[in-house]
Amino acid sequence: MKPEQLQSVRATLRSPRRLKTEALAGLVVALALIPEAIAFSVIAGVDPRIGLFASFTMAVTISFVGGRPAMISAATGAVALVIAPLMRSHGLDYLIAAVILAGVFQILLALLGVTRLMRFIPRSVMVGFVNALAILVFMAQLPELINVPWLVYPLVAVGLVIVVALPRLTSAVPSPLVAIVALTLFAVLANIDVPAVQDKGALPESLPTFFIPNVPLTLETLQTIAPFALSMALVGLLESLMTAKLVDDITDTRSNKTRESWGQGVANIVTGFLGGMGGCAVIGQTMINVKGSGARSRVSTFLAGVFLLVLVVTLGDIVGLIPMAALVAVMIFVSAITFDWHSVAPKTLKRMPKSETAVMVITVGTVVATHNLAIGVGVGVLAAMAMFARRVAHFATVERTEIEINGETVATYTVDGELFFASSNDLYTQFEYARDSAPTVDRVIIDLHASHLWDASTIAVLDAVTEKYRRHGREVELIGLNSASVQMREKLAGKLNAGH
């Protein structure tokens, strides 16, 4: 850790109040991670211990090497969906090998500066990402509310009342922890039969051990695992960087995205060699940690991993008694506080450009439909680019004027606006070729003082314009090009075989 990061950790450890907040936050996160890790293990087709060990190793490792304090990394559904086909076709050893290779890919991508691509994700996609995550967190709770004993519903309702109302009375203890403890005690003492954590699968009884995947070190093996490893690396980085940006906004602090990227890679390598299924940042538990419990340092992330291991290994019988209704109530609360309600308020929708709202809706719809955040964000960015290009394309205008200069009639076309593939396509049709070829016109000038040539498409269109004037017996004079546009035109003019 860097000196300033060590100083932050030391400050937390020296403050009893701050340490209590971080410790209790870590405990709540650990309790919330257990059923999800088991559920994600089922999705990936592995033993629940594989998911639980992954959550432990990811959280502990990233607390040291990550770039965003208080962000939680663990086994996730997105990663589970990516690697599940490999598990089905080739088994656990190939899956672990893919996790380790994904970590290597993430380190390489960090060194190549992939984090700089975050600047190209517009706000509307970010809002869509947050809202889609909130919806997915809520949807993930629905199976626990369908075809269950009727007592589950009042338990969930009471849990929601506790997590919402308790902070108005006291902030000494995180309300999600109070809800979990209170509902567990009630369920045990009242001896009611409702689904519990132990129903999700067996909890581990020993510590994770060093694991070397038994796969042949051949090109064929690399060809098998590389596509899955690259997909996992990209999905994991995207989710982690987007979550880090969200935490930055909530805490009004900055994080080191490059460090977070290679930190995720290191965490996945460590997780793979300890027999875990890999993972990335988890939005739900991060929101519990940062928003629900008020954690701000690496201590909470570290303790979340430690508490998770202690709970499932030494207190597995007790943890197994926690009713799923308590965890469902906490996650519904997390979903509600994660969703950006301001973004869908009627006043906001009325003020926002329709294209921005459309991009947000497209992002949310794609994520919810595919359950894949990477696909949703990718589609959202493409939609934003298309709408931006469409909007900017209409800003380029051409105005024709005729003036007398030294006894000659000069037709001048003033082009105003940025010229690129979308806006320059209509440029060809905005010149009056026949009129300018009449004897009454002596010269044709295209004035580009108020524009800029951005790409080869624009050069090709200008070539086509000058060629058509040439066929009409007129030479065209281009004036006002800035230095960058001149260099591009000198390099490409006449070499693109443009024609209309």
Side-chain angles (χ1 to χ4, degrees):
M1 281 188 262
K2 292 183 178 180
E4 60 269 22
Q5 293 166 342
L6 283 172
Q7 186 177 359
S8 175
V9 171
R10 290 195 188 104
T12 299
L13 296 176
R14 289 171 183 165
S15 170
R17 182 177 180 183
R18 189 73 244 161
L19 182 59
K20 184 193 74 171
T21 299
E22 300 289 322
L24 292 176
L27 179 58
V28 175
V29 169
L31 291 170
L33 279 173
I34 293 170
E36 288 209 354
I38 295 173
F40 296 150
S41 299
V42 173
I43 292 174
V46 299
D47 188 280
R49 290 173 294 181
I50 305 298
L52 289 166
F53 286 158
S55 294
F56 159 66
T57 54
M58 288 294 297
V60 170
T61 305
I62 206 68
S63 68
F64 289 97
V65 299
R68 174 62 262 178
M71 189 169 77
I72 305 297
S73 291
T76 63
V79 169
L81 288 170
V82 169
I83 60 178
L86 180 62
M87 178 64 192
R88 287 194 297 267
S89 61
H90 290 79
L92 180 63
D93 287 285
Y94 277 81
L95 182 148
I96 298 300
V99 170
I100 295 169
L101 183 59
V104 174
F105 282 153
Q106 287 177 326
I107 293 174
L108 292 175
L109 289 169
L111 295 176
L112 291 172
V114 70
T115 56
R116 288 194 290 268
L117 297 177
M118 283 294 292
R119 72 184 67 176
F120 297 109
I121 298 180
R123 181 186 177 278
S124 53
V125 174
M126 185 67 187
V127 172
F129 168 81
V130 172
N131 290 347
L133 282 172
I135 293 171
L136 288 183
V137 169
F138 178 78
M139 290 175 62
Q141 313 314 310
L142 295 181
E144 306 298 334
L145 298 172
I146 299 174
N147 297 324
V148 293
W150 69 270
L151 282 171
V152 168
Y153 304 111
L155 285 177
V156 172
V158 171
L160 285 170
V161 170
I162 293 174
V163 295
V164 172
L166 186 62
R168 299 178 183 179
L169 301 176
T170 178
S171 58
V173 182
S175 59
L177 179 59
V178 175
I180 292 170
V181 172
L183 293 183
T184 301
L185 288 174
F186 175 78
V188 171
L189 295 176
N191 195 28
I192 59 175
D193 185 19
V194 292
V197 170
Q198 62 191 2
D199 300 325
K200 290 293 181 181
L203 299 178
E205 298 177 352
S206 62
L207 299 175
T209 57
F210 190 69
F211 183 95
I212 298 179
N214 183 22
V215 297
L217 301 178
T218 62
L219 180 60
E220 183 180 356
T221 300
L222 181 62
Q223 291 173 337
T224 299
I225 66 175
F228 295 96
L230 183 58
S231 296
M232 176 182 167
L234 293 173
V235 168
L237 281 183
L238 184 59
E239 283 206 41
S240 299
L241 293 176
M242 294 286 279
T243 304
K245 189 174 186 301
L246 178 60
V247 177
D248 289 352
D249 294 340
I250 293 172
T251 60
D252 197 25
T253 57
R254 296 182 64 182
S255 58
N256 188 330
K257 304 297 190 302
T258 299
R259 181 188 174 98
E260 183 61 38
S261 297
W262 66 255
Q264 289 289 329
V266 171
N268 273 307
I269 292 173
V270 171
T271 297
F273 280 119
L274 289 175
M277 59 181 272
C280 62
V282 280
I283 182 68
Q285 280 70 20
T286 297
M287 289 299 100
I288 291 176
N289 198 43
V290 176
K291 240 181 174 180
S293 303
R296 290 294 183 270
S297 81
R298 298 171 184 273
V299 175
S300 59
T301 306
F302 173 77
L303 290 178
V306 172
F307 283 145
L308 170 64
L309 188 65
V310 171
L311 287 170
V312 298
V313 173
T314 65
L315 301 174
D317 292 339
I318 296 175
V319 171
L321 298 175
I322 297 174
M324 287 303 300
L327 298 174
V328 168
V330 171
M331 296 311 293
I332 291 176
F333 169 69
V334 168
S335 172
I337 64 175
T338 301
F339 195 90
D340 187 349
W341 296 101
H342 177 71
S343 67
V344 295
K347 289 183 178 179
T348 304
L349 294 175
K350 189 175 181 179
R351 287 195 300 264
M352 289 291 290
K354 292 181 179 179
S355 59
E356 298 281 318
T357 303
V359 168
M360 180 187 71
V361 172
I362 289 171
T363 303
V364 171
T366 305
V367 171
V368 172
T370 63
H371 283 236
N372 190 311
L373 293 164
I375 293 177
V377 171
V379 170
V381 170
L382 289 175
M385 291 170 60
M387 292 184 185
F388 174 76
R390 180 175 177 272
R391 190 164 64 246
V392 173
H394 299 297
F395 290 161
T397 59
V398 178
E399 183 180 353
R400 183 185 186 277
T401 57
E402 280 191 19
I403 57 174
E404 293 288 333
I405 301 179
N406 298 327
E408 290 185 323
T409 301
V410 180
T412 301
Y413 290 88
T414 302
V415 182
D416 188 356
E418 304 301 310
L419 297 179
F420 63 110
F421 64 91
S423 59
S424 61
N425 283 334
D426 294 334
L427 191 65
Y428 181 81
T429 62
Q430 297 190 48
F431 295 90
E432 301 182 35
Y433 304 99
R435 180 180 177 184
D436 294 336
S437 62
T440 54
V441 175
D442 299 301
R443 292 169 56 199
V444 176
I445 294 176
I446 299 178
D447 185 352
L448 296 161
H449 277 101
S451 61
H452 182 94
L453 312 186
W454 284 104
D455 57 14
S457 296
T458 304
I459 305 299
V461 169
L462 288 176
D463 282 351
V465 170
T466 56
E467 177 59 28
K468 186 163 184 177
Y469 269 115
R470 191 173 292 116
R471 292 199 300 267
H472 281 77
R474 285 281 183 271
E475 291 296 326
V476 176
E477 181 182 355
L478 300 181
I479 65 172
L481 287 172
N482 56 38
S483 59
S485 299
V486 169
Q487 290 177 8
M488 177 174 284
R489 188 162 187 273
E490 288 177 348
K491 186 186 299 184
L492 299 177
K495 301 174 184 177
L496 299 172
N497 297 319
H500 283 258

